[in-house]
Amino acid sequence: MATVGEYPLPTNLVAGLELDPTPERKAWVAALPRLVPEYAARWGLTLGEPFQPGGQCSWVAPARDPAGDDLVLKLGWWHWEGEHEATALRLWDGDGAVRVVAEQHDRPTSALLLERCRPGTPLAELAAEPEQDLVVAGLLRRLWRHPPAGGPLRPLSVMADAWADEAAREHAARPGLLDPGLVRSGLDLMRELPSTGPDPRVLCTDLHAENILAAQREQWLVIDPKPFVGDPAYDLTQHLLNCPARISADPAGTAARMASLTGLDADRARLWLFARAVQEAWLMPWTADVARGLAPA
């Protein structure tokens, strides 16, 4: 098994490499035994064993700085969706999310030194899904800020268009998965909804119960945002897609519950969930039934 120092690579990082074994990504993972001590030395850190199972695109470990403060070192493989993670975290400045202590971007590596959450247990391990809804909704309402003028955060349409294009290609290769008309309807919505939404806000886009950790400074803190600017109703979708049994049983009702908890329009939340269910179906075939249940009349 590959190691960094005395530690094995996190299992999700290994799995991510198996899913996307490009030469560039393989070279980055192979370089981690050199990169980790280099960044630790740059910030004077003493490192612990990396968190397991970790993420698919990053090596993350507890750290202690020269002042004795508990921190987290996150070395990430650069990917365009999460490019402005530090920008959003600095905008939120600890209000519902972890703080950034330092950052260094040397493509293809993004290095962040972050506040550490203790005990750091994910919300997914501590609360049933209906209770998770309350926490997710409360955090989202705090994080939906007006974007700063002239900032680097990109519009949601950038991600939505890219995902719709990818899904169109993948669905064409799997013609029996969903009715072609349903695919067109869902992906057209994916492209149209960003331009028809309410006043845009800064979005997490990847907020779910695994990315919310128990902490001491606040009860819960958000980690690992992939920020864009756009329609807040989009931000309900990832949490919903992480609750497969509930949205399979009652997709419209579950979306309406999250819309009510966040003060958003239920119809718009339903449309976004339909679009995401179509877009994700080639990766998660169970969402095909969700898409059929949510299809506009």
Side-chain angles (χ1 to χ4, degrees), residues 63-259:
R64 193 177 296 274
D65 71 4
D69 291 332
D70 267 343
L71 302 169
V72 167
L73 175 65
K74 178 178 182 179
L75 297 186
W77 162 251
W78 183 89
H79 58 106
W80 66 272
E81 293 164 14
E83 181 176 2
H84 297 298
E85 175 179 356
T87 301
L89 291 175
R90 290 193 185 280
L91 175 67
W92 295 323
D93 192 26
D95 186 5
V98 295
R99 289 190 170 104
V100 177
V101 176
E103 60 182 296
Q104 182 72 36
H105 303 284
D106 305 304
R107 285 199 187 183
T109 303
S110 292
L112 299 180
L113 196 57
L114 302 167
E115 171 187 10
R116 183 175 181 184
C117 298
R118 285 190 178 272
T121 312
L123 173 63
E125 297 179 17
L126 296 175
E129 288 179 6
E131 185 180 345
Q132 293 172 21
D133 294 348
L134 302 175
V135 176
V136 170
L139 287 167
L140 283 173
R141 291 179 70 124
R142 294 168 62 187
L143 298 177
W144 287 332
R145 311 287 180 85
H146 288 283
L153 296 177
R154 298 156 295 178
L156 179 61
S157 60
V158 171
M159 184 169 69
D161 288 349
W163 282 8
D165 291 346
E166 176 188 48
R169 293 191 298 270
E170 297 295 342
H171 276 289
R174 299 165 177 80
L177 184 58
L178 271 175
D179 177 82
L182 204 62
V183 171
R184 283 194 301 274
S185 178
L187 299 186
D188 283 350
L189 270 174
M190 194 81 180
R191 296 183 178 97
E192 293 167 4
L193 284 169
S195 64
T196 63
D199 195 17
R201 296 291 193 272
V202 176
L203 310 178
C204 278
T205 79
D206 192 27
L207 188 60
H208 52 81
E210 293 287 349
N211 280 347
I212 299 171
L213 303 184
Q216 294 175 341
R217 181 171 61 78
E218 292 192 18
Q219 184 177 8
W220 305 107
L221 290 173
V222 169
I223 63 168
D224 200 27
K226 296 175 176 60
F228 287 81
V229 173
D231 180 3
Y234 176 89
D235 248 356
L236 308 183
T237 60
Q238 194 57 56
H239 171 59
L240 292 169
L241 289 168
N242 277 44
C243 303
R246 282 200 301 157
I247 67 164
S248 294
D250 183 13
T254 311
R257 169 178 164 81
M258 285 302 299

Side-chain angles (χ1 to χ4, degrees), residues 2-14 25 28-40 43 45-63 71-79 109-114 224:
T3 62
V4 174
E6 61 189 286
Y7 303 127
L9 288 176
T11 56
N12 282 346
L13 183 58
V14 174
R25 188 163 177 171
W28 179 78
V29 172
L32 281 172
R34 171 181 58 82
L35 293 171
V36 169
E38 283 182 3
Y39 283 98
W43 286 318
L45 304 175
T46 301
L47 300 178
E49 184 170 350
F51 297 110
Q52 292 283 5
Q56 291 194 343
C57 296
S58 57
W59 188 95
V60 186
L71 302 169
V72 167
L73 175 65
K74 178 178 182 179
L75 297 186
W77 162 251
W78 183 89
H79 58 106
T109 303
S110 292
L112 299 180
L113 196 57
L114 302 167
D224 200 27

